[in-house]
Amino acid sequence: MKSAFDKIAAGLEDAIAYAKGDDSRGRVATVDVKAVREATALTQAAFARTYHFPIGTLRDWEQGRRNPDAGSAMLLKMIQVDPKGVERIIAKVA
Amino acid sequence: MKSAFDKIAAGLEDAIAYAKGDDSRGRVATVDVKAVREATALTQAAFARTYHFPIGTLRDWEQGRRNPDAGSAMLLKMIQVDPKGVERIIAKVA
DNA sequence: TGCTTATATACGGCAATGCCGTATAAGAAA
DNA sequence: TTTCTTATACGGCATTGCCGTATATAAGCA
């Protein structure tokens, strides 16, 4: 398991990676998907199941290979600020 | 303005159009975006602003030219079952 | 009846993503 | 060291995201 220090270090590295991201053109700010998920303390598989994201797509996002589109980005941000609230609404959907 | 009858007829046509949709292969069931929006009684522009969808993308979805990906589809379904609840969470995000 | 405004439909088009599958790494526990 | 579990890395093709703009459709008004 990682030490608290290692986790913080990893978090900083993620942040720096994002800061270095392109963004030089028309695209809007993206979302730190990994950070959102880790805040929920769920594994990728569990997070994917909980919020109905395809796991392969979630992987791409976390690894920075792809960026979520506006709709998915919005949902991710919603999970970030109110994970339980989102879960409650999803329960009504499913 | 459309009569109530015309609206229902249009709705049925939409539903039939969706029923005829491909779906013959691996893709999952899609969302009737137009129906979701009309249930909120918002114009495309207003709906896009409210839920932060790019208007061009919303158009594509309603016209059946494109299908929302899993994340956007989930958010749309959430709006369908609890538009105000979604708005409340988005308020915390923005 | 004709003009104007608001709203929605239709597409062209390219960069970029969605999503699947699988091979490889890394940490934890046995 | 072997085994599980979780996550990283990519190949790859069909499909979408998102922008822009031209056209159609009511409505409302002069």
Side-chain angles (χ1 to χ4, degrees):
Chain A
M1 200 57 88
K2 279 183 179 176
S3 70
F5 177 80
D6 285 338
K7 285 195 174 181
I8 293 172
L12 283 177
E13 276 166 23
D14 288 346
I16 290 169
Y18 273 99
K20 284 184 179 170
D22 190 59
D23 210 26
S24 56
R25 215 187 69 276
R27 286 274 183 268
V28 203
T30 167
V31 189
D32 188 334
V33 181
K34 190 175 177 184
V36 173
R37 177 179 61 82
E38 291 183 333
T40 67
L42 293 172
T43 64
Q44 291 182 337
F47 186 86
R49 257 182 276 115
T50 304
Y51 300 105
H52 298 264
F53 288 114
I55 190 156
T57 304
L58 179 65
R59 282 178 187 142
D60 284 343
W61 291 340
E62 292 205 15
Q63 295 172 201
R65 216 159 76 109
R66 300 283 145 74
N67 291 308
D69 57 89
S72 295
M74 181 74 258
L75 179 50
L76 287 164
K77 287 178 191 168
M78 288 171 66
I79 293 171
Q80 183 167 48
V81 301
D82 189 354
K84 289 303 171 191
V86 171
E87 276 191 61
R88 260 177 247 123
I89 299 180
I90 287 182
K92 299 185 194 173
V93 173
Chain B
M1 197 60 85
K2 279 181 180 178
S3 69
F5 177 80
D6 286 337
K7 285 196 174 182
I8 293 172
L12 283 176
E13 278 166 22
D14 288 347
I16 291 169
Y18 273 100
K20 285 184 180 171
D22 190 57
D23 209 28
S24 55
R25 215 187 68 278
R27 286 274 183 266
V28 202
T30 168
V31 190
D32 187 336
V33 182
K34 191 175 177 184
V36 173
R37 176 178 64 80
E38 291 183 334
T40 67
L42 293 172
T43 63
Q44 292 182 336
F47 187 85
R49 257 182 274 115
T50 304
Y51 300 105
H52 299 263
F53 287 114
I55 190 155
T57 303
L58 179 66
R59 282 179 188 141
D60 284 343
W61 291 339
E62 293 204 13
Q63 293 173 203
R65 216 159 76 109
R66 298 285 144 72
N67 291 308
D69 57 89
S72 295
M74 181 75 257
L75 179 50
L76 287 164
K77 288 177 190 169
M78 289 171 66
I79 294 171
Q80 183 168 47
V81 301
D82 189 355
K84 289 303 173 191
V86 172
E87 275 192 60
R88 262 176 244 124
I89 299 181
I90 288 182
K92 299 184 193 173
V93 173

